[in-house]
Amino acid sequence: MSGATAADYGWLVEECTGGDGEAGLCLTFVRGLPPDAAFRRIGAAPGVARGFPIAAYAVQSGTVLEYGWAWMSWEQCVSLSAGTTVATVFVDIKHDDFFYLVDGQLVSAFCWYAYSFRHGPDPDPLLADVHELGLDLDDLTKQPLAERAAGVRLHRADFIRPSLVGSFGHGSRP
């Protein structure tokens, strides 16, 4: 696990708020897969402008997928995590979800504002990180936990450079 802090992702909060403080994003941190492999696993079509847009950023330890205001389907989370680790952060005006999967299996999931109701076969593997980051409090900066869980770091330079862009079909929420 990394030592990422909320300050490391302050720039992303600024990027993903519309100036009114309301965040809307879905980021998936995928360890060890390049962007094209991540696209293949979720059935995204590079360069295609139909369905929901998606961007895949190549980072040092894998890929970070950005879904914007859309969400990743449960099937996509499972297929992405086969043989690796995935952490997904989804926040909009109605949802505030975090999913942690290893090798195609859910490990832990929770809503940020109801952390005590976390669930999964092992709901507490990230508990020390959650407490250290203060994420069991009312906080919108969840990306450090995703980085710590997946071992994948998203830097501002990764986010602003060209990415693999495409689209995927509409799926159901987990």
Side-chain angles (χ1 to χ4, degrees):
M1 306 273 174
S2 80
T5 67
D8 294 329
Y9 285 91
W11 63 269
L12 187 59
V13 172
E14 292 172 19
E15 289 277 337
C16 295
T17 58
D20 58 6
E22 290 293 326
L25 69 120
C26 182
L27 294 177
T28 298
F29 293 65
V30 186
R31 184 184 302 158
L33 285 183
D36 58 334
F39 263 37
R40 278 193 303 277
R41 285 192 182 193
I42 63 171
V48 176
R50 63 171 165 57
F52 292 110
I54 184 172
Y57 300 92
V59 297
Q60 184 174 358
S61 301
T63 295
V64 175
L65 298 169
E66 178 195 12
Y67 288 74
W69 288 89
W71 62 76
M72 170 177 266
S73 74
W74 185 246
E75 293 79 18
Q76 289 172 328
C77 286
V78 170
S79 65
L80 267 176
S81 69
T84 191
T85 300
V86 165
T88 294
V89 176
F90 177 60
V91 179
D92 70 7
I93 59 174
K94 293 183 179 181
H95 306 95
D96 53 25
D97 300 317
F98 182 90
F99 302 100
Y100 175 49
L101 295 92
V102 175
D103 198 18
Q105 301 295 314
L106 174 69
V107 175
S108 182
F110 52 87
C111 295
W112 294 106
Y113 301 115
Y115 181 74
S116 61
F117 296 111
R118 60 197 174 276
H119 59 92
D122 183 9
D124 293 328
L126 306 172
L127 190 59
D129 290 308
V130 166
H131 289 311
E132 180 182 330
L133 291 166
L135 296 178
D136 47 348
L137 306 173
D138 188 5
D139 188 318
L140 286 176
T141 310
K142 283 68 169 184
Q143 296 76 29
L145 184 62
E147 175 183 320
R148 289 180 180 205
V152 176
R153 181 82 180 251
L154 177 65
H155 295 279
R156 181 179 211 121
D158 298 321
F159 194 73
I160 61 174
R161 74 173 180 226
S163 61
L164 180 60
V165 188
S167 63
F168 65 99
H170 184 69
S172 59
R173 285 181 37 88

